[in-house]
Amino acid sequence: MEGDFTGKDVYGKHFAPKDYLKTYYSFGKEDGSQENGALTFHLQKFHKTFTMDGIKGDTLIDIGSGPTIYQFLSSCGSFREIIATDYTDQNRNEIKRWLKKDPEAFDWSQALKYVCELEGDREKWVEKEEKVRSTVRRVLKCDVTQVNPLAPLVVAQVSCLTSAFCLDVACKDLTAYRAALRNIGSLVKPGGHLVLLVALRGNVYMVGQHPFFCLYLEQETVDSAVTEAGFDILWSEGTKNSYPPTHCDAKDIYFLVAQKRIKV
């Protein structure tokens, strides 16, 4: 599979949050289906970053949250405030539905139970759910192609920024990718952390019947762009993409934690 770049207007018209969530974030296992290997990898690495390694601070911004909240399940106990962001109205609205306990919202209970199991007590998942809801204070519009991705808002630089599968679909080429990394990196205070989840060596992913562009990236390219944006990589880990190629043709998934350099 290979596709043309997907513009912002196409996301606004054709990106269906419910289809995306069902395809990529159904957990499996308890209903007899195979456990979602990609999702468990994501959750394990966020658990290592925020629970085991103890990265913490005052405010965390998540850039390009999509309609998902799994990326907050470990960080919610480490920050006073989490700001979720996305370009499209429908994705921001989907997050708000979950925050407001809308019965039509996606069911994240299996992911919550899995993270609580990693933390030592699977039965605390309802408590964890409420912790996420109380910590995600704002859901804002963002555009990573802008020098200030949150414009017209101006926010103080934050302790940590996370971004999962955003820049690789929002940037049409490597020049745009490097610029977007600099843009989002400007939101992080010196000494703060950047946490990225990236699809590697892919061209397209499907949401319902609609193909969406994915920038072909190698690990070395990502590492170089992160370093050029002013960060030192602390650790990284990759795994094979477990989704069928008919859903997403990326070969690997890459998790990276970096720290913004302090200018002397």
Side-chain angles (χ1 to χ4, degrees):
M1 290 193 296
E2 188 167 353
D4 296 326
F5 179 68
T6 308
K8 300 171 187 175
D9 56 334
V10 178
Y11 269 89
K13 291 178 182 176
H14 297 299
F15 190 93
K18 290 276 194 292
D19 288 343
Y20 177 74
L21 291 167
K22 182 179 179 181
T23 300
Y24 297 102
Y25 295 100
S26 296
F27 200 84
K29 197 174 182 181
E30 289 205 354
D31 61 5
S33 60
Q34 185 176 359
E35 189 175 84
N36 186 330
L39 180 54
T40 56
F41 174 79
H42 307 343
L43 297 176
Q44 288 166 8
K45 298 312 140 193
F46 281 120
H47 170 73
K48 170 174 167 48
T49 301
F50 297 109
T51 305
M52 297 174 67
D53 292 353
I55 288 179
K56 60 185 179 180
D58 192 44
T59 301
L60 179 148
I61 291 179
D62 185 59
I63 293 291
S65 304
T68 69
I69 57 91
Y70 72 91
Q71 62 272 43
F72 308 136
L73 303 188
S74 292
S75 59
C76 66
S78 302
F79 295 85
R80 180 185 60 81
E81 175 189 34
I82 290 175
I83 301 171
T85 73
D86 198 75
Y87 181 79
T88 68
D89 296 342
Q90 64 266 37
N91 282 339
R92 296 195 305 278
N93 288 336
E94 189 65 33
I95 292 176
K96 291 174 183 177
R97 278 191 196 95
W98 185 85
L99 292 173
K100 294 175 181 176
K101 303 184 182 181
D102 186 319
E104 296 298 313
F106 188 74
D107 180 9
W108 290 101
S109 61
Q110 295 307 315
L112 282 152
K113 289 174 183 177
Y114 182 79
V115 171
C116 287
E117 191 173 312
L118 291 175
E119 294 177 359
D121 191 348
R122 183 180 176 86
E123 299 309 311
K124 286 191 173 181
W125 72 272
V126 175
E127 184 180 320
K128 168 77 72 177
E129 187 174 47
E130 291 311 305
K131 180 63 176 174
V132 176
R133 287 193 170 106
S134 66
T135 308
V136 179
R137 306 277 181 85
R138 290 185 278 176
V139 183
L140 304 177
K141 187 179 179 78
C142 77
D143 182 348
V144 300
T145 66
Q146 302 300 308
V147 173
N148 172 14
L150 301 179
L153 289 179
V154 177
V155 299
Q157 288 182 313
V158 298
S159 307
C160 186
L161 184 144
T162 57
S163 187
F165 310 117
C166 171
L167 303 190
D168 27 335
V169 303
C171 301
K172 64 180 180 179
D173 55 33
L174 292 178
T175 299
Y177 185 82
R178 294 187 187 98
L181 255 177
R182 291 193 297 271
N183 294 342
I184 68 171
S186 70
L187 300 173
V188 183
K189 66 176 66 171
H193 292 87
L194 171 70
V195 181
L196 293 179
L197 251 177
V198 186
L200 295 181
R201 299 190 295 143
N203 296 290
V204 69
Y205 71 105
M206 300 294 295
V207 179
Q209 299 302 309
H210 293 279
F212 289 85
F213 170 87
C214 187
L215 179 63
Y216 187 95
L217 293 167
E218 299 277 2
Q219 177 183 327
E220 295 77 14
T221 311
V222 176
D223 289 351
S224 174
V226 168
T227 302
E228 288 173 13
F231 291 82
D232 293 322
I233 297 169
L234 301 181
W235 64 272
S236 62
E237 187 174 337
T239 190
K240 293 295 182 186
N241 175 31
S242 64
Y243 296 116
T246 51
H247 290 168
C248 170
D249 71 349
K251 303 297 186 295
D252 304 291
I253 296 168
Y254 185 49
F255 190 94
L256 176 152
V257 179
Q259 187 169 29
K260 191 168 186 179
R261 288 191 286 274
I262 301 173
K263 295 179 181 178
V264 180

